[in-house]
């Protein structure tokens, strides 16, 4: 999937399940989305859950769960800083909504968010950035808030994350 499509999908996820408050809560967004496969009586509804776990050096993973009722699970490392957790939650949700995990591809683990050359990681990062730091809101807030620390705090992300977002949007 092209990065632009990942961005549009993040915008659609916000339209469907975001309460309009900052910082964006990826757990609530995931809870508000159900993936539907098939049509009519054959339709299969699969919820998405977010689970905090102690994952050591791993930030998170997304997986297709094949228990009694198929579903998706996004795990994030609850031992990391809350701002890191939020980005990981959004990133793993991106993997699910971008169809990087499925019956055929059960689990996708990220040991880092290294996106060099891996289109799935590039798209999941673009999805996450747009979900929790929407371009239109970043542009608006950046015109009012010049302190990068305050801007990061507004969006509930790290200074590094907002700096990358500002650079990618051509604002820094």
């Amino acid at each position: 999937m092209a990065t632009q499509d990942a961005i549009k999908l993040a915008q659609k996820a916000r339209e469907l399940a975001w309460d309009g408050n900052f910082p964006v809560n990826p757990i609530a967004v995931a809870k508000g989305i159900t993936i539907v496969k098939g049509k009519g009586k054959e339709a299969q509804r699969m919820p998405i859950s977010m689970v905090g776990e102690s994952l050591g050096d791993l930030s998170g993973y997304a997986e297709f769960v094949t228990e009694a009722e198929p579903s998706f699970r996004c795990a994030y490392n609850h031992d990391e800083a809350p701002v890191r957790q939020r980005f990981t939650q959004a990133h793993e949700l991106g993997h699910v909504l971008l169809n990087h995990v499925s019956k055929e591809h059960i689990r996708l683990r990220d040991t880092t968010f290294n996106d060099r050359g891996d289109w799935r990681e590039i798209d999941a990062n673009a999805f996450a950035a747009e979900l929790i730091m929407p371009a239109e809101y970043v542009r608006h807030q950046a015109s009012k808030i010049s302190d990068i620390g305050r801007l990061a705090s507004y969006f509930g992300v790290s200074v590094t994350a907002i700096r990358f977002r500002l650079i990618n949007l051509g604002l820094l």
Side-chain angles (χ1 to χ4, degrees):
M1 177 172 282
T3 299
Q4 282 299 66
D5 292 338
I7 291 168
K8 288 178 185 172
L9 189 57
Q11 292 165 344
K12 183 69 172 173
R14 272 198 328 273
E15 281 177 33
L16 291 172
W18 179 43
D19 65 7
N21 294 311
F22 284 102
V24 173
N25 181 346
I27 294 173
V29 172
K31 192 175 199 175
I33 296 173
T34 299
I35 296 176
V36 179
K37 299 280 186 181
K39 296 185 182 214
K41 290 181 180 181
E42 302 299 315
Q44 187 173 36
R45 297 177 152 335
M46 295 173 279
I48 305 166
S49 64
M50 290 270 181
V51 182
E53 299 176 2
S54 186
L55 297 173
D57 291 339
L58 187 67
S59 289
Y61 63 87
E63 68 182 347
F64 180 78
V65 180
T66 58
E67 294 165 1
E69 293 294 321
S71 64
F72 293 90
R73 178 172 48 211
C74 299
Y76 60 93
N77 191 335
H78 64 63
D79 296 326
E80 293 183 330
V83 294
R84 178 66 175 183
Q85 290 177 38
R86 182 175 288 103
F87 194 89
T88 299
Q89 292 159 359
H91 178 95
E92 299 307 335
L93 177 60
H95 280 308
V96 170
L97 297 180
L98 292 163
N99 293 315
H100 297 167
V101 291
S102 63
K103 284 182 182 179
E104 294 77 32
H105 304 285
I106 301 290
R107 183 181 261 194
L108 186 63
R109 294 176 66 143
D110 299 334
T111 54
T112 68
F113 287 105
N114 180 351
D115 60 8
R116 283 177 245 138
D118 186 339
W119 63 270
R120 293 175 307 183
E121 294 307 311
I122 292 168
D123 285 351
N125 283 342
F127 177 94
E130 180 61 28
L131 184 71
I132 63 176
M133 298 175 281
E136 65 183 287
Y137 292 95
V138 170
R139 285 186 180 96
H140 177 73
Q141 290 302 319
S143 72
K144 299 184 334 182
I145 302 171
S146 60
D147 179 82
I148 199 162
R150 284 187 46 225
L151 194 58
S153 180
Y154 180 84
F155 288 101
V157 298
S158 68
V159 169
T160 301
I162 196 67
R163 183 173 283 123
F164 274 117
R165 189 67 169 146
L166 292 168
I167 290 168
N168 289 334
L169 292 173
L171 300 173
L172 190 63

